Amino acid sequence: SAVISQKPSRDICQRGTSLTIQCQVDSQVTMMFWYRQQPGQSLTLIATANQGSEATYESGFVIDKFPISRPNLTFSTLTVSNMSPEDSSIYLCSVDGGVRTGELFFGEGSRLTVL
Amino acid sequence: LAKTTQPISMDSYEGQEVNITCSHNNIATNDYITWYQQFPSQGPRFIIQGYKTKVTNEVASLFIPADRKSSTLSLPRVSLSDTAVYYCLVGVNSGGYQKVTFGTGTKLQVIP
């Protein structure tokens, strides 16, 4: 199994500012995924981060708004840029590192509130 | 990616068996079916995964008919701690990398 730590666990931010969320994994993994979960909603994949290459973004998400770094096999960051109240969500980091085929492990999430 | 459809919510009394069915009519040949559980303020947690027929582990059973267009998660004798949102996912596994889409999920409320 993989243990994932996210920082911050929660934050309150002002409109127009940017916040960087960190994701640390206790083992080396190839792929890391960033999800957004809006209040009362399901999870939506933002992007896939492969070490050593540019992140791949899903439809509706762009690099300028959600820049991602993946400097090594155990760490990634997601920045939420120029935040608005609509960005208030839980942001989750995930890795595909299970022994089982395709099992995903998730962090506890970072709950952002934008005022 | 195959879309999934599952009931928005379900209620069950403690001690009962709960069956949550998920529809995935457009499932592809290479797709696996996976179920996750999510408690409030936590990330989703893997429950069970299958490709066809029946899979059972210490937590649940997963029933998949021959046409694989649906699947049923079975939770035996639920307790209050099983109150959570349950997600059915289908996705392609390729060398350990699985890109999946989360559906709406089923909010299970276990009643004393």
Side-chain angles (χ1 to χ4, degrees), chain B residues 39-108:
Chain B
F39 297 113
S41 301
Q42 294 186 22
R45 182 176 71 102
F46 175 96
I47 299 175
I48 197 166
Q49 183 182 74
Y51 185 79
K52 61 180 178 180
T53 63
K54 177 183 175 181
V55 180
T56 297
N57 61 21
E58 64 277 8
V59 176
S61 294
L62 178 60
F63 299 91
I64 305 169
D67 65 6
R68 303 198 331 119
K69 293 183 181 300
S70 66
S71 59
T72 298
L73 175 72
S74 181
L75 305 173
R77 294 184 297 280
V78 295
S79 64
L80 295 176
S81 63
D82 293 316
T83 294
V85 178
Y86 292 83
Y87 293 98
C88 165
L89 285 70
V90 294
V92 176
N93 176 67
S94 176
Y97 162 44
Q98 185 177 48
K99 182 175 178 178
V100 296
T101 299
F102 279 77
T104 57
T106 298
K107 187 173 184 179
L108 173 65

Side-chain angles (χ1 to χ4, degrees), chain A residues 64-111:
Chain A
D64 289 346
K65 176 67 175 177
F66 298 100
I68 289 171
S69 77
R70 182 77 201 276
N72 58 52
L73 292 173
T74 64
F75 187 78
S76 178
T77 67
L78 170 75
T79 299
V80 185
S81 304
N82 188 24
M83 286 184 285
S84 66
E86 291 72 34
D87 295 319
S88 296
S89 289
I90 300 172
Y91 293 85
L92 296 121
C93 173
S94 173
V95 302
D96 186 352
V99 173
R100 300 179 188 88
T101 303
E103 178 178 352
L104 296 174
F105 295 95
F106 286 84
E108 294 294 300
S110 299
R111 181 185 294 270

Side-chain angles (χ1 to χ4, degrees), chain B residues 8-47:
Chain B
I8 297 297
S9 64
M10 294 180 68
D11 292 338
S12 177
Y13 288 102
E14 272 192 295
Q16 290 189 330
E17 178 184 76
V18 171
N19 296 309
I20 306 174
T21 298
C22 178
S23 172
H24 27 80
N25 290 319
N26 297 321
I27 189 169
T29 303
N30 294 334
D31 284 344
Y32 285 76
I33 301 158
T34 313
W35 286 79
Y36 285 80
Q37 175 191 56
Q38 186 179 28
F39 297 113
S41 301
Q42 294 186 22
R45 182 176 71 102
F46 175 96
I47 299 175

